[in-house]
Amino acid sequence: MRALPQREEDGPGGPNEYHLSVYVLFMLLVVARGSHRAAASWMGKRHVWRKIRKVWAKRGIDLSIHGPAGGQCLYNRDAHLVPHWEKLIEVFEIDAVRRAQQHGMLVSSVTKTPNPPRNCIVSADGTVPAMPMRREVLKKRKAAGLHIDYEHHTEGGGHPVDGLKFYLKSARLIDENGDARPNSRMILGLALVPKKGAGGEAGIAVCKLLELKKRAAGMLGVRYDGALRGVHLDELMKAGLAVVNPPHEQTAGREAFARVTCEHVDKTTGVICDHTTTLYKENGALGVLEVLADDKATVLFHGLPRKVYARGNAPTVRWYVDLTLPCGHAHTELLTSSKDDARTGFNRPEHLRMHPPGTPVYDKTYGWRNDAESSHSQLDDWLYRGCMVALTAERQALVMLSFAVTHNAVADWHHRQRRRTPALAPAA
């Protein structure tokens, strides 16, 4: 409520029949009930409104005997909430981080690590809630002058969908064994992704993730899909984040990378190991080739054993990988961009991944990104017929905020129940 401007007591116009917090509650109920109409109808039920009046009375707010009509709710939503949707999202994100840390997420004494625990990792992705009409109807209504903010997008796998794209990020709590706790996922932020400008989904994602990192130092890693490219990975890694996402087909092919001559000096004999190895890159990893003695002379790629570590502090954290060469000695490669890369034009983070596919960290933790997909699926389940229930971008943003707040309220309830259970259990 503090994020919304309060009406002057002696200002123009008559006083509002209901306190502004009633319409905030109406907005937050939209996704929980599936639509604006269902939210207003549920609030207007006699037993529900009686409970709302009791709760508000405890806070010193006296409400009318009867609840607001649907038209009143929609009017006040547009008059008092829509103009401040960005501020409302900002307040939500600050509170979501605070609650997540109270639950045990994004809290760590470590500042950077290549393999952080799941409760310190953020999963993020973009989603396009489908519009509630056919494209032909959309064209007719726009031609008639109706303001509708829907766009044509292509989701993963080439699936076409019409709607606005929104970005969501979340984190999940783990138990004593390191396993994910059911119903513990918290949505930490959301943003409207414009069709053009702001760097698209990837640009918005980097901006919001770096913003979250400033608010929660215990955020140590990110799991994202292929929307992030090298320049985006570089920004996140230099902030100290361990990023895992799949390489792109354009840069994942096998190529010669460098010819390395080992300069290791044996401390006992003083002999220099001058073994030369040709390194190849494939699918974000560095390794060597083996030619099989078969009819086709098959060439196999073998990724070299690796150890990833960081040096420096944000915003200039540098990530390195120590590779064990065939001679048994270590060779170090930089994973973040350098001044030489800027001069040569080599996009190092795009070609060399911190944890490429096939490594234990990638195979074990990339699946955590499914938390983002779970949030999208839950959104579709909660919305009426799985479609967005608003037409303009600002109103849709409020619907997405309603979903995030409702989702976190459920997670917060389960957290309180888990804390109460040990206290209620009988003593042994």
Side-chain angles (χ1 to χ4, degrees):
M1 287 299 301
R2 291 190 295 270
L4 299 173
Q6 300 300 313
R7 180 183 179 278
E8 295 182 11
E9 192 169 324
D10 299 326
N16 205 323
E17 183 177 357
Y18 296 93
H19 194 268
L20 188 56
S21 58
V22 172
Y23 303 114
V24 174
L25 174 63
F26 161 73
M27 178 198 72
L28 299 180
L29 286 171
V30 169
V31 171
R33 306 307 302 178
S35 67
H36 294 87
R37 178 181 296 179
S41 176
W42 187 78
M43 282 180 59
K45 291 183 178 180
R46 186 173 300 177
H47 68 284
V48 174
W49 184 248
R50 187 185 302 119
K51 292 179 181 179
I52 293 174
R53 290 189 67 206
K54 287 183 179 179
V55 173
W56 261 241
K58 293 179 181 179
R59 290 163 172 78
I61 301 174
D62 186 25
L63 297 178
S64 301
I65 297 178
H66 301 289
Q72 285 179 287
C73 293
L74 293 175
Y75 172 82
N76 284 276
R77 175 203 62 181
D78 294 341
H80 301 293
L81 304 182
V82 167
H84 310 288
W85 67 275
E86 292 176 303
K87 183 62 177 179
L88 288 169
I89 290 177
E90 180 184 351
V91 172
F92 159 75
E93 291 178 338
I94 294 173
D95 181 71
V97 172
R98 179 181 62 82
R99 289 182 180 274
Q101 291 179 323
Q102 290 176 348
H103 291 192
M105 292 171 257
L106 309 184
V107 178
S108 175
S109 59
V110 180
T111 57
K112 48 188 177 292
T113 173
N115 187 19
R118 185 168 185 175
N119 62 313
C120 293
I121 288 177
V122 173
S123 302
D125 197 9
T127 183
V128 182
M131 67 178 184
M133 64 188 75
R134 299 191 307 273
R135 194 179 303 175
E136 296 77 14
V137 177
L138 173 65
K139 291 179 180 179
K140 290 181 180 179
R141 293 190 177 185
K142 282 190 173 182
L146 187 62
H147 182 191
I148 301 178
D149 293 321
Y150 289 132
E151 299 163 345
H152 185 66
H153 294 269
T154 301
E155 292 281 75
H159 175 65
V161 61
D162 292 297
L164 288 186
K165 177 174 283 192
F166 287 90
Y167 159 85
L168 293 172
K169 59 177 181 279
S170 61
R172 183 183 283 275
L173 188 63
I174 57 176
D175 59 19
E176 298 78 9
N177 301 320
D179 299 324
R181 284 190 181 276
N183 301 306
S184 66
R185 183 175 65 249
M186 294 281 288
I187 295 178
L188 304 174
L190 64 102
L192 173 64
V193 180
K195 183 74 172 180
K196 297 181 180 179
E201 178 188 338
I204 293 291
V206 170
C207 179
K208 299 294 287 186
L209 288 169
L210 293 179
E211 182 182 274
L212 177 58
K213 176 63 176 175
K214 292 179 181 178
R215 289 176 178 162
M219 173 188 172
L220 301 177
V222 175
R223 299 297 179 267
Y224 216 101
D225 62 11
L228 297 186
R229 301 304 293 260
V231 63
H232 310 118
L233 301 177
D234 197 48
E235 286 189 69
L236 296 175
M237 289 194 294
K238 286 183 176 178
L241 297 172
V243 188
V244 173
N245 83 316
H248 285 262
E249 294 181 1
Q250 298 91 327
T251 56
R254 183 182 301 173
E255 294 179 9
F257 178 75
R259 192 171 176 81
V260 177
T261 300
C262 182
E263 299 178 350
H264 177 79
V265 180
D266 190 292
K267 295 182 179 179
T268 304
T269 62
V271 175
I272 299 177
C273 175
D274 58 356
H275 183 273
T276 300
T277 303
T278 300
L279 294 180
Y280 289 81
K281 74 170 189 67
E282 181 176 305
N283 215 23
L286 288 175
V288 295
L289 300 183
E290 177 189 4
V291 181
L292 299 182
D294 57 10
D295 296 338
K296 299 181 181 179
T298 305
V299 181
L300 300 180
F301 174 86
H302 298 287
L304 293 175
R306 48 196 287 125
K307 177 184 177 182
V308 179
Y309 58 95
R311 291 176 181 169
N313 297 305
T316 56
V317 176
R318 299 178 303 278
W319 290 91
Y320 297 87
V321 58
D322 281 350
L323 303 168
T324 303
L325 299 174
C327 62
H329 301 130
H331 169 71
T332 302
E333 280 291 343
L334 181 64
L335 294 175
T336 46
S337 64
S338 65
K339 293 182 179 179
D340 289 338
D341 295 332
R343 178 177 53 83
T344 61
F346 179 60
N347 192 344
R348 185 176 295 269
E350 176 72 11
H351 291 268
L352 305 181
R353 295 305 168 95
M354 182 183 294
H355 300 292
T359 58
V361 174
Y362 183 97
D363 293 345
K364 180 182 178 181
T365 70
Y366 181 65
W368 297 347
R369 196 196 68 83
N370 290 337
D371 269 348
E373 301 293 345
S374 297
S375 297
H376 302 166
S377 178
Q378 193 167 37
L379 171 65
D380 294 338
D381 290 341
W382 285 4
L383 289 174
Y384 180 67
R385 294 185 176 179
C387 297
M388 177 53 69
V389 293
L391 299 181
T392 65
E394 298 83 3
R395 294 173 183 173
Q396 291 183 52
L398 288 180
V399 172
M400 296 299 294
L401 178 59
S402 171
F403 165 69
V405 173
T406 304
H407 182 282
N408 287 1
V410 174
D412 202 42
W413 183 88
H414 282 282
H415 176 71
R416 293 196 303 270
Q417 291 298 111
R418 284 192 294 269
R419 295 187 63 181
R420 287 183 57 197
T421 301
L424 295 178

